[in-house]
Amino acid sequence: MFELTPNLVHLYVSFIPVVFFLFLPAFWLYHDATIATDSWRWQPSMLKHFAIVPVVLFLSVALALLPAKDFEWMFFSSEPVDTPWLTTLAMAFAFFLVVWFILSCGYMFSIFRRTLAYHKNIRLIYADESGRKLNWVIITAALMILTWVYALIVLTVENRLTHFGFSETGVLILLSLIVWLVAHNGIKQQLGFDEAKEANAAITEVIKAQAYERSALRKADLQRIAAKIETAVAQDKIHLESDLSLVKLAKHIAEPPQYISQTLSQHLNSTFFDFINKARIDQARQLLATTDHTVLDIAFATGFNSRSAFYKAFKNHLNQTPSEYRANSS
């Protein structure tokens, strides 16, 4: 494209700062909306994430308006610029490049930290993580940092490390990979907490109570609620419902979700995710040992939504696959 339309190079380089400074907060806000425990809405306070964009836009417009000769001199010539205006623009471009790198590290670190906390939280609420986990976000964030470092090396050493794999082509390949990861995974990613509005309020309370370890329950209350949970599993077989969540269990036994979460944590030494999946695996063990149903049929019969989720849970609990367990128990 650059070969066919040389003028595109001028626009591309000029507006790279704006695009990159827009991408950081946009990706952060997308992540914020995905992990929100309540209905996410745009707030005027979020404009602070874009505070630097107008300044960067002014720089981009100034670069775009440069005569072609000055633009070539500034970006593609080995001779240093010596006019006051070009020197000012060059220093501004370098300054914002460093600022952008620092902001990138800050945003990516925040996303990484919040994602780890989010993964712990969904295990408090759901028995199935499928479609909710954000491992791809962690991978993308790490790849972004790698790309920024790689690009800075290429910019600094120019073509002196080409034989080591550092080139402008490598930067474009890494950027294309980031775009593909965000587009491919971002579109199909479901919201982390997609319950009804009233349920989301309960979810928020569960997470807050867990975070601050607040408990309003006495030992007798913990024992009473634990008995109701175990009855729901042993007699009502509620764990076999594939879409079971903490909120649904709370409605079933008529107890507040935060009390159930505290009971699981403090009295049963478990999380909702681990407790329900252990009950499902125990049920699956019986079926594997006493029936000739296929592994996939048993996975669906015991509440799992996919073969992969069943295998992962089974291996985590018993350190062997369902097929290995069936062979050893026959």
Side-chain angles (χ1 to χ4, degrees):
M1 289 179 64
F2 292 154
E3 290 287 339
L4 295 174
T5 55
N7 290 335
L8 186 61
V9 177
H10 195 149
L11 289 175
Y12 171 79
V13 174
S14 297
F15 286 95
I16 275 181
V18 174
V19 174
F20 280 18
F21 272 99
L22 282 173
F23 178 78
L24 290 174
F27 188 59
W28 191 89
L29 290 173
Y30 165 83
H31 182 264
D32 189 56
T34 303
I35 67 174
T37 57
D38 207 345
S39 299
W40 190 91
R41 290 183 179 85
W42 170 265
Q43 303 291 337
S45 60
M46 295 174 183
L47 283 172
K48 65 185 178 184
H49 293 285
F50 301 92
I52 200 171
V53 172
V55 182
V56 178
L57 179 61
F58 177 81
L59 171 64
S60 292
V61 171
L63 293 173
L65 294 177
L66 280 176
K69 181 180 178 181
D70 288 346
F71 181 82
E72 290 286 332
W73 187 12
M74 181 174 172
F75 286 100
F76 302 105
S77 173
S78 58
E79 297 294 325
V81 294
D82 58 6
T83 65
W85 180 234
L86 290 182
T87 301
T88 301
L89 289 179
M91 292 177 64
F93 192 90
F95 171 77
F96 282 115
L97 187 65
V98 173
V99 170
W100 170 68
F101 176 72
I102 294 172
L103 285 176
S104 295
C105 293
Y107 273 108
M108 294 309 113
F109 176 77
S110 175
I111 286 173
F112 182 82
R113 179 179 56 81
R114 284 154 55 96
T115 299
L116 293 181
Y118 161 75
H119 282 169
K120 291 181 180 179
N121 290 337
I122 58 176
R123 283 174 166 247
L124 300 176
I125 309 299
Y126 300 104
D128 183 9
E129 300 170 302
S130 303
R132 301 182 191 277
K133 295 198 74 172
L134 291 173
N135 289 331
W136 69 269
V137 168
I138 294 178
I139 294 172
T140 303
L143 184 60
M144 287 177 186
I145 298 299
L146 172 64
T147 302
W148 305 163
V149 173
Y150 182 96
L152 284 174
I153 293 174
V154 171
L155 185 67
T156 303
V157 303
E158 297 180 342
N159 296 322
R160 293 192 291 275
L161 293 180
T162 302
H163 54 290
F164 289 110
F166 290 91
S167 66
E168 293 179 0
T169 301
V171 176
L172 292 175
I173 290 173
L174 288 172
L175 288 175
S176 299
L177 182 58
I178 290 172
V179 170
W180 182 84
L181 282 172
V182 173
H184 175 72
N185 293 287
I187 291 175
K188 67 179 184 179
Q189 177 69 44
Q190 70 182 86
L191 295 177
F193 305 98
D194 55 355
E195 302 285 344
K197 186 174 180 179
E198 62 275 9
N200 279 335
I203 289 171
T204 302
E205 288 299 317
V206 169
I207 294 173
K208 285 182 178 179
Q210 189 75 16
Y212 296 105
E213 298 183 350
R214 295 183 303 187
S215 177
L217 300 176
R218 297 170 299 178
K219 184 176 181 180
D221 294 325
L222 293 171
Q223 292 173 341
R224 175 179 56 81
I225 296 174
K228 294 176 74 172
I229 294 172
E230 291 168 346
T231 298
V233 169
Q235 296 182 12
D236 303 337
K237 305 294 183 182
I238 195 170
H239 60 290
L240 301 183
E241 296 182 14
S242 60
D243 61 345
L244 182 65
S245 68
L246 180 69
V247 175
K248 290 184 177 181
L249 175 60
K251 290 181 179 179
H252 182 81
I253 66 173
E255 294 287 349
Q258 59 269 34
Y259 288 179
I260 297 176
S261 182
Q262 290 177 29
T263 300
L264 288 167
S265 175
Q266 298 172 15
H267 188 73
L268 298 175
N269 298 316
S270 184
T271 63
F272 177 76
F273 178 90
D274 291 329
F275 184 83
I276 296 300
N277 277 284
K278 183 181 182 304
R280 289 173 174 176
I281 294 302
D282 288 343
Q283 184 78 30
R285 289 170 58 191
Q286 295 180 21
L287 294 176
L288 286 167
T290 59
T291 72
D292 58 357
H293 298 326
T294 66
V295 171
L296 185 60
D297 287 340
I298 291 174
F300 289 138
T302 52
F304 291 95
N305 287 312
S306 68
R307 182 189 181 95
S308 60
F310 177 53
Y311 265 79
K312 183 179 179 180
F314 202 97
K315 193 77 181 287
N316 286 341
H317 282 278
L318 299 177
N319 201 30
Q320 58 183 322
T321 67
S323 299
E324 290 171 344
Y325 179 84
R326 170 172 270 173
N328 293 332
S329 61
S330 59

